[in-house]
Amino acid sequence: MSTEKTLVLVKPDGVSRGLVGEVISRIEAKGYSIDALRMLHADRELLEQHYAEHVGKVFYEPLVEFMMSGPIVAIVASGNRVIEGFRALAGVTDPTVAAPGTIRGDLARDQGTKVVQNIVHGSDSTESAAREIKIFFPN
Ligand code: DAT
Ligand code: MG
């Protein structure tokens, strides 16, 4: 049985606020492994692939613009049930109501922007994880 993998992104708000280490710490403290890591400044083409499922939604363009607004950190984390486990560490999408103790609940809040800025992305299924890891780590 191969170990499950997920794609985590520290978004531009997380990087600019100096929270890369905090996110990595929480992943490691939970017991998952960091298999790969890279910092990049994503372009539109890459983000259009990554966020293909959200094309046409009102927050799509603000989301792409936000994700291009500064450097991000892409991480492959692994471990049994890491996809579900990282989503639990991240908390729900809306940081206002994300539970205290989660990354979003502890470190983010509503900034009144068109797109929710919530520090991290985490894949939501084995299919999305495989697809997203290939986008950020083509080799
Ligand atoms: P998640 O990141 O929790 O998987 P998602 O995939 O539904 O959430 O959406 C991707 C990102 O888009 C999310 O992290 C923040 C933003 N977003 C989602 N729903 C939104 C909404 N209703 N209004 C503004 N931004 C939203
Ligand atoms: Mg999602």
Side-chain angles (χ1 to χ4, degrees):
M1 201 180 80
S2 66
T3 312
E4 188 170 285
K5 291 181 194 298
T6 194
L7 180 82
V8 172
L9 298 176
V10 183
K11 298 181 179 183
D13 56 335
V15 174
S16 67
R17 290 180 50 208
L19 297 172
V20 175
E22 174 76 28
V23 170
I24 292 171
S25 275
R26 289 180 184 223
I27 295 169
E28 291 186 325
K30 182 77 173 173
Y32 300 124
S33 301
I34 305 294
D35 288 5
L37 186 148
R38 80 182 260 241
M39 179 174 257
L40 69 150
H41 204 133
D43 61 18
R44 181 173 291 273
E45 190 189 336
L46 184 143
L47 293 166
E48 282 175 355
Q49 285 181 57
H50 176 66
Y51 282 125
E53 67 174 303
H54 295 306
V55 171
K57 296 184 184 168
V58 285
F59 61 84
Y60 176 73
E61 185 55 30
L63 176 60
V64 170
E65 299 268 332
F66 164 58
M67 292 296 289
M68 289 192 302
S69 70
I72 62 175
V73 173
I75 298 164
V76 177
S78 68
N80 291 324
R81 299 177 67 194
V82 67
I83 294 172
E84 188 185 0
F86 180 76
R87 302 266 303 176
L89 285 179
V92 297
T93 307
D94 180 354
T96 299
V97 297
T102 65
I103 293 168
R104 290 162 169 176
D106 286 348
L107 307 172
R109 66 171 177 86
D110 194 331
Q111 300 288 341
T113 47
K114 283 184 188 156
V115 70
V116 173
Q117 302 190 357
N118 55 13
I119 315 279
V120 286
H121 164 84
S123 308
D124 62 9
S125 65
T126 50
E127 295 73 26
S128 358
R131 190 181 72 80
E132 293 170 1
I133 289 169
K134 248 187 261 166
I135 294 170
F136 286 89
F137 297 90
N139 308 315

